[in-house]
Amino acid sequence: THTRSHTHTHVLTGSNGRTGEECVRYCVATNRRVRALSRTGAVPPISSPLVSSSRLDVSMGGIESAIAGASVVIFAATASARGDPRLVDNLGLEATAKACIAAGVERLVVVSGAGVTKRESQAYKFLNLFGRRMDEKVAGEQAVRRLFAVAPAHQDYTIVRPSGFWSDREPLGAAGLELNQGDENAGFICRADVAAVCIECAFSPAAAHASFECY
């Protein structure tokens, strides 16, 4: 863990989602300031002076002002079951990346998903039935890479692709997780571990301009 991560503000989109809420909990547990952004502006049920909240719909603009002063932005937003993945997972992510670069944010961490490059897999085809969700996640990832390829040298991104989610398991911690690149392997992971990976990789030089799977 890098010392400066504890003195900088982390801004989190999608804080009212299950993974987003775990990110807020992890920030509080590790004494990090976090600004929780969601479509409703509601604060996750976590009482701490480290947590502030604001309303933001990434598909509606206003992102740059919402992330002002942030060193790290965690993009944990995703379209709801009835939402439009194009507006959130693709265009919303692209707009967030542009805002991060304009605002001088040091690291954008994106919560994506394992299997996004496996277009012929059954899992991809099934999830793609819901508003072309996987196609839009791929497009969002590609937009991030394209934008940061020409960003200032001190600004970068990390794309985290968690595999299948466990809902009834305790966190395994770093010793119990595997990280891979190439979108070849998969497994299961609890959301608390995903949150820890996202927050801890935010200031890691090894994670700059990197995409990896975790499970």
Side-chain angles (χ1 to χ4, degrees), residues 26-169:
Y26 190 83
C27 282
V28 171
T30 54
N31 198 36
R32 292 167 163 95
R33 293 197 304 271
V34 59
R35 188 182 310 151
L37 307 177
S38 67
R39 284 186 291 267
T40 64
V43 182
I46 304 162
S47 178
S48 170
L50 293 168
V51 180
S52 61
S53 67
S54 184
R55 179 177 295 180
L56 176 70
D57 185 334
V58 296
S59 68
M60 300 295 288
I63 300 170
E64 193 167 335
S65 60
I67 66 173
S71 296
V72 175
V73 172
I74 312 291
F75 188 91
T78 190
S80 65
R82 297 182 180 180
D84 187 341
R86 179 173 178 271
L87 295 179
V88 180
D89 300 79
N90 180 358
L91 300 181
L93 176 53
E94 181 176 1
T96 300
K98 289 178 178 178
C100 286
I101 293 169
V105 173
E106 296 174 42
R107 177 73 57 86
L108 169 63
V109 179
V110 179
V111 183
S112 183
V116 292
T117 68
K118 304 298 182 184
R119 296 182 60 89
E120 298 306 313
S121 72
Q122 292 302 310
Y124 189 110
K125 291 177 180 178
F126 173 74
L127 291 171
N128 222 32
L129 295 173
F130 304 93
R132 301 177 64 88
R133 182 176 299 272
M134 297 296 275
D135 288 348
E136 302 302 345
K137 283 186 178 293
V138 172
E141 285 194 12
Q142 292 172 340
V144 168
R145 295 189 187 95
R146 182 180 69 252
L147 290 165
F148 278 94
V150 294
H154 69 283
Q155 295 181 276
D156 48 55
Y157 70 89
T158 303
I159 296 173
V160 178
R161 295 168 168 170
S163 195
F165 287 116
W166 273 323
S167 58
D168 58 350
R169 301 287 184 95

Side-chain angles (χ1 to χ4, degrees), residues 113-118 121 123 134 160-165 177-189 211-215:
V116 292
T117 68
K118 304 298 182 184
S121 72
M134 297 296 275
V160 178
R161 295 168 168 170
S163 195
F165 287 116
L177 299 179
E178 291 192 30
L179 306 182
N180 282 285
Q181 291 184 292
D183 208 10
E184 295 296 335
N185 299 310
F188 291 90
I189 189 169
S211 304
F212 60 85
E213 294 76 53
C214 58
Y215 51 90

